[in-house]
Amino acid sequence: MGIFKGMRRSLAAFGIVAVLGVLSMGALGAALYYAGYPLLMPLYGKLDDWHGDWVWPATMAAGSAWSLSFLAAGALNLRLERSQLSSAARRAVYAATLWIGAVAAWIVVGAFQPA
């Protein structure tokens, strides 16, 4: 039960973002694409140039998939807290984990785009 108590904010963020990924109608996924744009643009091009029936579900799926990053970031934060890393450094690692999660979500979603 200790891990759930230590990660309660990350668990709450996971649930909220999972729902917002769908309720935002793809806006969250699009924002995540632009957050990871330096790495994603060479792979997939501009989001505005995409067309087809797969684009809207892909943006919603990326937003929802990103919610898993909060669980990873929370677990990593707990581990770093035990090693007595400063809170500023842990926040930076948490943010970096969320950014990497956004890029990873789009790489996974992008792997299913039609040719």
Side-chain angles (χ1 to χ4, degrees), residues 5 9 12 29 32 34 38 42 53 57 62-63 68-69 81-83 91 94 98 100 102 108 114:
K5 187 175 182 181
R9 290 183 182 164
L32 294 173
Y34 287 114
D53 291 340
L68 295 171
S69 300
E81 187 177 40
R82 289 185 191 126
S83 68
R91 285 184 183 129
Y94 197 97
L98 293 179
I100 291 168
V108 169

Side-chain angles (χ1 to χ4, degrees), residues 13-86:
F14 162 75
I16 291 167
V17 171
V19 171
L20 283 178
V22 176
L23 292 181
S24 70
M25 306 289 270
L28 177 60
L32 294 173
Y33 186 85
Y34 287 114
Y37 192 72
L39 293 178
L40 296 171
M41 195 277 297
L43 296 172
Y44 304 118
K46 293 181 180 179
L47 186 62
D48 294 334
D49 294 340
W50 294 3
H51 60 280
D53 291 340
W54 67 274
V55 177
W56 187 24
T59 57
M60 290 190 327
S64 292
W66 180 60
S67 66
L68 295 171
S69 300
F70 285 92
L71 298 178
L76 185 57
N77 183 55
L78 276 180
R79 181 127 173 128
L80 294 175
E81 187 177 40
R82 289 185 191 126
S83 68
Q84 298 181 351
L85 192 66
S86 72

